[in-house]
Amino acid sequence: MTADEIKDNFKKVHDEIHEAEAKAGRAQGSVQLCAVSKFHPVEDICAAMETGQLLFGENRVQEACAKFGELQAAGKDYSLHIIGALQLNKVKKAAEIATCIESADREELLAELEKHCARLGKTMEVYFELHTGEDSKSGYPDESALMLSARHCAEGLYPHIVPAGLMTMAPFTADEKEIRKSFSALRALQEKLRSEFPMLRIDALSMGMSGDFRIAIEEGSTEVRIGTALFGARAQA
Ligand SMILES: *Cc1c(COP(=O)(O)O)cnc(C)c1O
């Protein structure tokens, strides 16, 4: 895809987000766009940056390091969210390069992240990822495991970790009811966490991708993670 095509796509997607916000009776600008640049080269990210895009999502730490290391060296301004399943041996690097880990999905990951963030003297935002679609492999398997991690954060077990939101991937299906169910479950969990742990600020609801972000916005998404609709098809999934 050419830089001009990418820029056109950003305009289109922003228009569609604004339309969905209006349709859902939500304020314009209440939904943030996370541009998912996985498998796309640095030049594509630069084209996106020229439209004013600051927030990017990558699902593999090594790839993110290579690309955003280069952009950082070039003096570019950005926020980087890690959105893919994280192996423990990748947490050290992730702690160094990320602004937020959206795919926090188990206690041992939080413990490892705390260790590295403490060493770096850095506080890291995390979103707890809930598994709601049977196709994806990542995410806390159920709400109670996620609630327990939230409790540990609220109790001060991980002083360098700041829970800031929830994330999910809806099942890949044409059945809109199934997709909606996944998003509304995440929203309901946010309400539960807010009442149980008012000291945490679980403000972000990261849900919605290229195929389902309009539904996600109707269901209360505050951040949509969009790749294909911005950068085109990926060579790999
Ligand atoms: C790849 C990916 C996206 C973006 O998907 P598209 O369908 O290309 O918009 C969003 N979230 C996660 C967790 C991903 O891995």
Side-chain angles (χ1 to χ4, degrees):
M1 212 162 261
T2 68
D4 282 341
E5 286 172 320
I6 290 171
K7 288 177 191 173
D8 278 350
N9 286 342
F10 269 82
K11 190 178 173 322
K12 267 186 231 153
V13 167
H14 277 297
D15 287 347
E16 284 169 2
I17 290 171
H18 292 155
E19 235 171 75
E21 286 170 338
K23 194 173 155 222
R26 302 182 52 193
Q28 188 162 334
S30 50
V31 180
Q32 250 201 315
L33 172 62
C34 176
V36 177
S37 47
K38 64 186 184 196
F39 295 109
H40 292 286
V42 166
E43 301 80 74
D44 291 8
I45 299 170
C46 287
M49 285 174 164
E50 282 168 24
T51 72
Q53 183 67 27
L54 287 171
L55 173 57
F56 293 87
E58 287 277 346
N59 70 339
R60 298 201 305 189
V61 174
Q62 219 152 350
E63 179 188 343
C65 245
K67 296 191 299 190
F68 284 87
E70 195 180 322
L71 289 159
Q72 190 182 37
K76 304 281 189 190
D77 206 15
Y78 61 83
S79 299
L80 176 61
H81 286 195
I82 297 295
I83 60 173
L86 251 184
Q87 293 169 275
L88 288 185
N89 63 3
K90 300 283 162 53
V91 173
K92 178 170 182 275
K93 265 281 169 225
E96 289 169 7
I97 63 167
T99 321
C100 172
I101 307 292
E102 292 200 18
S103 42
D105 65 356
R106 60 202 191 279
E107 194 73 25
E108 60 178 352
L109 180 59
L110 297 181
E112 189 69 10
L113 191 59
E114 169 61 30
K115 187 178 88 187
H116 291 293
C117 288
R119 182 179 52 84
L120 294 166
K122 172 180 183 177
T123 53
M124 179 73 77
E125 286 200 347
V126 305
Y127 299 171
F128 298 119
E129 180 181 359
L130 181 66
H131 179 103
T132 60
E134 57 236 49
D135 311 311
S136 98
K137 278 157 265 146
S138 52
Y140 281 91
D142 55 64
E143 291 191 5
S144 60
L146 190 155
M147 295 281 284
L148 186 63
S149 284
R151 176 175 303 281
H152 290 155
C153 290
E155 289 171 351
L157 202 58
Y158 306 119
H160 296 85
I161 293 178
V162 181
L166 295 174
M167 189 268 259
T168 200
M169 280 170 92
F172 298 105
T173 169
D175 185 350
E176 199 179 303
K177 268 209 317 255
E178 281 299 304
I179 295 169
R180 216 173 267 285
K181 207 167 79 185
S182 154
F183 294 150
S184 63
L186 199 69
R187 174 136 196 206
L189 178 60
Q190 181 189 37
E191 295 304 318
K192 215 190 278 185
L193 284 166
R194 279 179 163 166
S195 67
E196 192 127 349
F197 309 112
M199 65 294 274
L200 300 180
R201 301 208 49 97
I202 311 288
D203 291 334
L205 273 184
S206 175
M207 53 191 202
M209 303 173 30
S210 292
D212 57 19
F213 70 88
R214 294 166 198 83
I215 301 172
I217 291 171
E218 285 175 28
E219 295 297 331
S221 171
T222 67
E223 180 188 325
V224 291
R225 307 177 310 274
I226 298 183
T228 309
L230 296 171
F231 297 109
R234 291 178 288 272
Q236 299 164 66

